Amino acid sequence: ERTVMLMPGAAFSETGARIGYGKGYYDRYLKRIPCAERIALCYEMQIVEDIPADDHDIPVSAIVTEEKIRHIIKAKMCRHYYI
């Protein structure tokens, strides 16, 4: 069984960092289901070069835009640690 979460955001980086809506809801929830696939659906114009991330920020594992799909290798997370 796999768990998939569609992650909202205002902007995303090529490394899977995201600018959300400032409440940390998704980061807190994802700590309870660390093996979930975290997929961002956005427009290509929402992809930016760099987004500063804190230690508690959990990156997306894939970004899907109208132009392509980006798989974020370093963002795989399972059992409370990055693999």
Side-chain angles (χ1 to χ4, degrees):
E1 181 176 312
R2 290 181 86 169
T3 301
V4 175
M5 178 171 276
L6 299 179
M7 302 286 292
F12 300 89
S13 74
E14 296 278 351
T15 60
R18 69 183 192 78
I19 295 176
Y21 298 102
K23 303 289 185 196
Y25 172 78
Y26 286 88
D27 294 317
R28 287 191 306 275
Y29 183 76
L30 284 168
K31 288 182 181 180
R32 295 172 32 201
I33 52 169
C35 293
E37 288 292 326
R38 301 164 315 279
I39 301 172
L41 302 176
C42 64
Y43 292 106
E44 193 66 30
M45 67 182 202
Q46 289 174 269
I47 306 297
V48 298
E49 188 173 316
D50 187 42
I51 293 176
D54 293 324
D55 290 338
H56 65 272
D57 292 331
I58 297 175
V60 297
S61 51
I63 302 171
V64 179
T65 71
E66 74 278 11
E67 293 182 14
K68 63 182 172 178
I69 298 172
R70 294 169 173 85
H71 297 279
I72 313 298
I73 302 300
K74 293 181 180 179
K76 299 289 183 193
M77 184 177 162
C78 192
R79 293 188 180 91
H80 303 289
Y81 58 90
Y82 293 98
I83 57 174

